[in-house]
Amino acid sequence: MEQTGSQGIRVAVVEDNPDLLDDVSFHLERAGFQVEGYPTGEAFEAALSNCVPRIVVLDLGLPGKDGLAVAGTLRKVCPDVAVVMLTARVQLADRVRGLEQGADTYLCKPVDMAELVAVVRARARALNEVVAADVGWAFDSRAHELHTPCGVKVPLTSAEATVIWALAADAAQQVTRD
């Protein structure tokens, strides 16, 4: 079941349990997201130099650099990336710390995949983007920026942003010159 507007949005899943990594990736891909999986925080951070995702689903109990440390680094390097923490740490103190360290949403394992997909979709909506589904480009209407598939931000003039918004708002329809 593909969700319109999800396709083209890059999601990174950082999870050391290979079965859960596969399960989360499968459900997010099925929902139309472009998903990359990483078994460690170090592997994820190394990939950031090549391509920045828009949303990260992040486990806290990772080997090596844990999820809280990864979230801290991510907030410094890419503050606009949405972070969904998915962890077995269920205590109130853990949830509060996770949110204070950079999570936009904190989910406890085990999680129903329908809920996880709904949360990631909500994060995608919160990014306030209209995504060109076939090529992975994204338009941030608030910041007047065009984002390349690898996370490079291209500033736009107000007129350019208006034209892109008109074209992307209903990609299936022709837009008049006016």
Side-chain angles (χ1 to χ4, degrees):
M1 170 178 141
E2 209 167 276
Q3 176 75 13
T4 304
S6 300
Q7 192 171 4
I9 294 179
R10 290 178 150 340
V11 178
V13 180
V14 187
E15 170 62 57
D16 63 321
N17 177 324
D19 292 333
L20 185 56
L21 177 60
D22 288 345
D23 199 24
V24 169
S25 297
F26 171 79
H27 283 87
L28 291 174
E29 286 171 350
R30 189 170 168 220
F33 294 98
Q34 292 180 7
V35 180
E36 292 290 329
Y38 304 94
T40 66
E42 291 87 357
F44 168 66
E45 287 181 350
L48 281 177
S49 63
N50 295 326
C51 200
V52 178
R54 298 296 295 144
I55 301 169
V56 177
V57 177
L58 180 62
D59 182 20
L60 291 184
L62 297 168
K65 192 170 187 178
D66 76 356
L68 289 174
V70 172
T73 300
L74 191 58
R75 282 291 169 231
K76 289 176 188 164
V77 176
C78 309
D80 296 335
V81 172
V83 177
V84 176
M85 286 188 181
L86 177 60
T87 180
R89 297 180 189 174
V90 299
Q91 298 297 316
L92 176 60
D94 294 322
R95 295 191 313 259
V96 169
R97 187 169 179 215
L99 291 165
E100 288 177 345
Q101 290 289 341
D104 296 298
T105 305
Y106 191 102
L107 295 174
C108 297
K109 295 176 186 175
V111 67
D112 187 283
M113 288 299 140
E115 179 182 15
L116 176 63
V117 169
V119 165
V120 173
R121 283 182 179 150
R123 289 286 116 211
R125 283 191 309 271
L127 294 172
N128 194 25
E129 294 179 344
V130 177
V131 177
D134 294 335
V135 294
W137 288 76
F139 170 58
D140 184 338
S141 60
R142 286 184 294 175
H144 288 218
E145 294 176 334
L146 195 58
H147 298 216
T148 69
C150 289
V152 175
K153 297 176 183 179
V154 180
L156 301 171
T157 66
S158 183
E160 290 168 336
T162 301
V163 170
I164 290 177
W165 177 254
L167 293 171
D170 193 354
Q173 298 295 320
Q174 288 184 350
V175 178
T176 66
R177 184 174 183 194
D178 294 333

